[in-house]
Amino acid sequence: MTEYDDKEHIKLHTDADRGEGRAKYLLTGEGAGSVFVIDEKTGNIHVTKSLDREEKEEYVLLAQAVDKLTLRPLEPPSQFIIKVQDINDNPPVFLHPPYRASVPEMSNVGTSVIQVTATDADDPTYGNSARLVYTVLEGQPYFSVDPQTGQNYFERKFI
């Protein structure tokens, strides 16, 4: 399921119920009854609220079809692992702002000035949401930054 999407659902079905309405669907596990609810008659499992991968990455649920009158199992229990897919909902955060650095007078072009580091709480294994690219917003053409490492360099002497 995609993070913050509360319109998705899962459908359970048993062949033991041939339209007589004998089946009752039960749901247990993490978030059952609060985050996830099941329609006891149809077997539809719905999400009741937005999911946030940074709060919880996955949910383990157990669903079962039972006879509505006797509560005897019509099917063995089925385990569902719901993995929450991340979206790009977290901005990068610099670890030690504000960064301050100085460059000695007469420094050579290409002199390393400072390394900046940022993190992103989004999932790095899903899409490019957590991919960091560093860039200089102010200070060009005198300074540059390695887009992958955040290492800043002196690029041009002041005249």
Side-chain angles (χ1 to χ4, degrees):
M1 299 191 135
T2 306
E3 184 175 36
Y4 296 120
D5 187 348
D6 57 2
K7 294 176 181 44
E8 294 187 47
H9 74 274
I10 300 167
K11 171 121 174 105
L12 297 180
H13 176 74
T14 178
D15 290 335
D17 185 5
R18 294 183 177 88
E20 308 100 9
R22 301 181 27 200
K24 176 180 178 179
Y25 295 94
L26 306 174
L27 186 67
T28 58
E30 300 170 293
S34 57
V35 178
F36 300 96
V37 294
I38 192 166
D39 183 314
E40 292 180 347
K41 294 177 184 169
T42 65
N44 287 341
I45 300 173
H46 296 274
V47 181
T48 62
K49 67 176 198 164
S50 295
L51 304 177
D52 187 351
R53 195 226 30 112
E54 286 76 25
E55 288 179 19
K56 190 155 178 65
E57 292 184 33
E58 70 179 34
Y59 295 83
V60 179
L61 298 169
L62 199 64
Q64 187 169 29
V66 298
D67 185 285
K68 173 166 71 173
L69 301 174
T70 65
L71 298 181
R72 289 174 129 158
L74 298 175
E75 302 277 349
S78 297
Q79 183 181 47
F80 294 88
I81 299 174
I82 312 270
K83 293 188 183 240
V84 181
Q85 292 180 339
D86 201 15
I87 61 171
N88 191 6
D89 61 336
N90 292 287
V93 176
F94 284 95
L95 299 181
H96 305 289
Y99 288 94
R100 297 189 191 281
S102 60
V103 180
E105 187 177 34
M106 304 301 290
S107 291
N108 292 325
V109 170
T111 298
S112 176
V113 177
I114 191 170
Q115 169 111 29
V116 296
T117 306
T119 60
D120 191 313
D122 290 317
D123 185 358
T125 64
Y126 184 75
N128 287 320
S129 296
R131 184 171 168 253
L132 297 173
V133 177
Y134 298 93
T135 186
V136 174
L137 297 179
E138 292 181 24
Q140 294 174 337
Y142 301 102
F143 299 95
S144 68
V145 63
D146 181 303
Q148 277 76 44
T149 67
Q151 184 67 49
N152 286 258
Y153 298 97
F154 179 59
E155 287 296 325
R156 184 175 184 186
K157 292 189 180 198
F158 295 97
I159 299 175

